[in-house]
Amino acid sequence: MTDHINPLRSLKEGHWFKLICGASFQHLPAVSSLTLAYTLAGADCIDVAADPAVIAAAQTALQVAKDLAGDAEKRGFGNNPKSPLLMVSLNDGEDPHFRKAEFNPTECPTDCDRPCEKICPVQAIAFNRIKDDFSGVVSEKCYGCGRCLPACPYDIIYTRSYVSTPGAIAPLVMSTGVDAVEIHTQVGRLTEFKRLWQAISPWADRLKVVAISCPDGENLIDYLHALYDLIAPINSALIWQTDGRPMSGDIGDGTTHAAVKLAQKVLAAKLPGYVQLAGGTNSYTVAKLKAMGLLRKRRQGDKETRRQGENSPLVPPAACPPISPSISGIAYGSYARVLLSPILEQLETKEVNKASVKPIVRLEEDEVLLWQAVELAYSVVSQLKSQQER
């Protein structure tokens, strides 16, 4: 695999692919498997929780991916191998991405048919789990989608939220291998954002990418301009993540409309930087963007740029915003995770049946499941990448 020029070039050329493992998702085996599969499939960025253990799991998977890159190429998964950027997600206040569901299983009536367990997309709710006889929410698996809340007929499920502590941010940003940060904010939280940015700014020059994720709201564009004025000048690539309908991409094709609509609004504002979709993205997203003419097609100059050589200095992407009003990338979260859930479940089943001496079965240890996972991941990544390869 090469250095980080390729991911930044993907952003510049309009085919940036980001995997969102989840700001609250801390299930280390799944984070490792997702990172490995999507890296080998050609992802440009892996976004994980700001948790040292999660970061370490992703870094280990990235190293394994380097060792398997040659095999991935031979199997036809990506013609331009790269080492994706590792991003951590932070928040400046209450945010659905930074919460977990909780409930006391002893309060559940015995005759309840447990709709919460059925609706959870990552099997984070369990009753009398075989492995350790556990009942309740498996905290490390929950990523805060909230679907279980209205599903509970007895209204006993609640959520616990947390906010990034500025004092704890610097060590994470400085952590070896962390190349980017994403800040989740909302309209009206300029003071809170400023406090968080001040904690990051001393090390901002080390970052390749800074992403700002903000849902729609009244005076959104004014707020985004205020954020830019606060952080400018910035040497990193700047991404505006349009979080249309958070954590919903696996529900159905229609969820992508909110993300596209918000992206159009931000594109029209002509803010410096790049616009990347999230929140409701799925297998329909690329087709939708293509039909609306919002995806860039490769220009002659793009090929010429590649011929200039990997050792030539790359102009900071933030200084080179897209020429046309188009989407620069797409982030996939719940859809990307659920797509690989059959593979992850098979790995967990192996763990249960395996001797306790080695309870964790890693994806790379099962060659059949590994390449099945990569093929599934590639079915998503290639939609965006193939748009540029014609």
Side-chain angles (χ1 to χ4, degrees), residues 254-372:
T255 61
T256 204
H257 293 297
V260 174
K261 183 178 180 181
L262 182 53
Q264 288 179 296
K265 181 176 181 177
V266 176
L267 281 173
K270 298 182 179 179
L271 288 153
Y274 300 90
V275 176
Q276 173 221 277
L277 266 65
T281 54
N282 48 40
S283 62
Y284 178 64
T285 305
V286 170
K288 177 72 173 176
L289 292 175
K290 184 178 178 182
M292 298 178 69
L294 291 175
L295 279 180
R296 287 184 66 201
K297 291 185 178 180
R298 179 174 292 169
R299 298 173 293 120
Q300 285 297 117
D302 292 333
K303 293 182 180 180
E304 183 61 33
T305 299
R306 293 180 183 277
R307 288 195 287 265
Q308 290 176 359
E310 293 295 326
N311 295 323
S312 61
L314 186 70
V315 179
C320 304
I323 295 174
S324 59
S326 56
I327 299 300
S328 295
I330 304 173
Y332 294 83
S334 55
Y335 176 78
R337 294 190 296 267
V338 171
L339 185 65
L340 262 61
S341 61
I343 304 295
L344 303 183
E345 288 173 21
Q346 288 185 64
L347 287 175
E348 283 202 30
T349 300
K350 286 195 169 196
E351 289 178 22
V352 172
N353 297 328
K354 207 170 178 69
S356 58
V357 178
K358 189 179 180 184
I360 297 177
V361 179
R362 300 186 184 280
L363 181 60
E364 62 269 26
E365 295 173 351
D366 189 313
E367 186 174 4
V368 174
L369 290 182
L370 168 64
W371 296 113
Q372 286 179 358

Side-chain angles (χ1 to χ4, degrees), residues 69-260:
D71 291 343
E73 281 190 89
K74 291 177 182 177
R75 292 171 179 267
F77 298 119
N79 297 318
N80 298 300
K82 62 181 79 69
S83 180
L85 302 181
L86 182 58
M87 174 182 284
V88 294
S89 285
L90 312 170
N91 60 328
D92 63 8
E94 293 288 325
D95 189 284
H97 296 86
F98 297 79
R99 67 180 183 181
K100 291 182 181 293
E102 292 183 357
F103 70 93
N104 183 350
T106 62
E107 296 179 1
C108 297
T110 56
D111 60 347
C112 180
D113 62 359
R114 300 169 180 171
C116 59
E117 185 178 24
K118 298 180 179 68
I119 202 170
C120 181
V122 286
Q123 294 79 51
I125 297 178
F127 290 90
N128 302 317
R129 195 171 63 174
I130 297 176
K131 188 174 182 180
D132 49 18
D133 196 31
F134 172 84
S135 293
V137 177
V138 183
S139 180
E140 65 269 20
K141 285 188 174 184
C142 178
Y143 64 86
C145 71
R147 298 178 204 176
C148 58
L149 301 179
C152 177
Y154 301 99
D155 198 29
I156 64 172
I157 303 178
Y158 58 96
T159 59
R160 173 176 52 84
S161 299
Y162 60 94
V163 179
S164 302
T165 304
I169 299 307
L172 286 170
V173 174
M174 294 173 63
S175 175
T176 303
V178 173
D179 313 290
V181 297
E182 177 175 299
I183 302 175
H184 289 253
T185 186
Q186 292 183 25
V187 176
R189 293 214 296 240
L190 187 61
T191 299
E192 293 85 351
F193 183 96
K194 182 177 181 180
R195 187 182 303 119
L196 182 57
W197 181 251
Q198 286 175 336
I200 299 171
S201 57
W203 298 277
D205 287 345
R206 302 186 183 189
L207 301 172
K208 303 291 192 304
V209 172
V210 171
I212 296 176
S213 178
C214 187
D216 201 359
E218 188 176 357
N219 300 319
L220 170 67
I221 301 304
D222 289 340
Y223 181 63
L224 297 185
H225 276 293
L227 294 181
Y228 179 76
D229 291 341
L230 176 65
I231 67 176
I234 180 172
N235 293 323
S236 310
L238 176 61
I239 294 176
W240 302 103
Q241 178 166 289
T242 58
D243 200 2
R245 186 175 170 183
M247 298 174 285
S248 66
D250 59 306
I251 295 175
D253 290 347
T255 61
T256 204
H257 293 297
V260 174

